Amino acid sequence: MAFALSPLPYEDTALEPAISAETLSFHYGKHHQTYLDKMNAAIEGTPHADASLEAIVAASRGTNQGLFNNSAQVWNHAFYWNSMAPATTEASAELLAGIEAAFGSVDALKQQLKDRGLGHFASGWVWLAEKDGKLSIEETHDADTLADSGFNPLLVLDVWEHAYYLDHQNKRPAYLDAVVETKLNWAFASENLARGTVWTYA
Ligand code: MN
């Protein structure tokens, strides 16, 4: 069965000015859609056709790079849309305690997210993640994902140029600053932490 593109959880203008409707029209409407279309074409008529997205990512890792890249990018982008909100949301007490234990404060975590996003060479993803009760920042390159990694991903930032080039050109720090300071969905991170298992694509 072919997968459908998961709906954007807000209007396409909802992330302005950090991320414009024009960027979302390309990033969600073209890039995300293309990863989905390529994945659907690759799984049609194969045993993957009836699998979950998470199972396809795990099964294709290291065995089918094309399918892995497209399926991981479908998952990563759906997770990324949910990692942002029209206005930043509230962290739970559990999440705040985890952040303070690992980073000292929310402001220190925000600065580290921005620093790691800026320092990440070329394309990839910067994650807030949990493992064995401890929070950390993790980076994955290109399409690589934490969906099947042993970490519980809480939030992600897309640092591919296509995430910011139309709005901020080459100024990745401006994109990171705008998203981290004004759009992070701490409530989503809190739900992921409370569940204790990896978010699933629907
Ligand atoms: Mn992207």
Side-chain angles (χ1 to χ4, degrees):
M1 188 181 71
F3 286 85
L5 195 62
S6 60
L8 267 185
Y10 30 71
E11 298 295 313
D12 65 3
T13 55
L15 301 180
E16 292 183 339
I19 296 175
S20 66
E22 185 186 23
T23 288
L24 281 183
S25 76
F26 283 95
H27 198 178
Y28 173 74
K30 304 293 185 192
H31 291 283
H32 197 185
Q33 181 73 54
T34 299
Y35 296 126
L36 182 96
D37 291 345
K38 288 184 174 177
M39 177 185 75
N40 278 332
I43 65 175
E44 187 179 0
T46 78
H48 293 304
D50 295 317
S52 68
L53 179 58
E54 291 76 20
I56 293 170
V57 169
S60 62
R61 178 185 287 279
T63 64
N64 182 337
Q65 192 66 38
L67 180 57
F68 176 78
N69 286 341
N70 285 299
S71 60
Q73 287 291 74
V74 172
W75 197 96
N76 289 344
H77 282 90
F79 193 83
Y80 170 62
W81 307 133
N82 282 284
S83 295
M84 298 180 289
T88 193
T89 56
E90 290 287 321
S92 67
E94 180 190 20
L95 179 59
L96 285 173
I99 289 170
E100 285 165 12
F103 304 100
S105 68
V106 173
D107 282 344
L109 167 59
K110 287 179 176 176
Q111 189 60 51
Q112 288 190 37
L113 284 168
K114 290 188 271 189
D115 290 346
R116 294 286 291 271
L118 179 59
H120 186 95
F121 184 75
S123 296
W125 302 86
V126 175
W127 309 79
L128 176 65
E130 177 270 335
K131 190 176 192 178
D132 300 329
K134 188 175 187 317
L135 271 58
S136 61
I137 296 173
E138 303 296 326
E139 297 176 42
T140 60
H141 285 274
D142 301 323
D144 199 6
T145 182
L146 292 192
D148 63 330
S149 64
F151 285 93
N152 182 16
L154 306 181
L155 283 178
V156 77
L157 294 166
D158 188 339
V159 295
W160 288 56
E161 273 192 349
H162 67 217
Y164 57 86
Y165 206 85
L166 293 175
D167 298 327
H168 304 285
Q169 294 73 52
N170 61 317
K171 296 187 282 292
R172 190 188 287 185
Y175 156 73
L176 289 168
D177 192 58
V179 170
V180 168
E181 297 296 341
T182 68
K183 301 298 181 187
L184 284 186
N185 189 351
W186 298 106
F188 177 63
S190 301
E191 291 166 18
N192 292 328
L193 182 64
R195 188 188 327 100
T197 56
V198 177
W199 178 85
T200 53
Y201 182 91

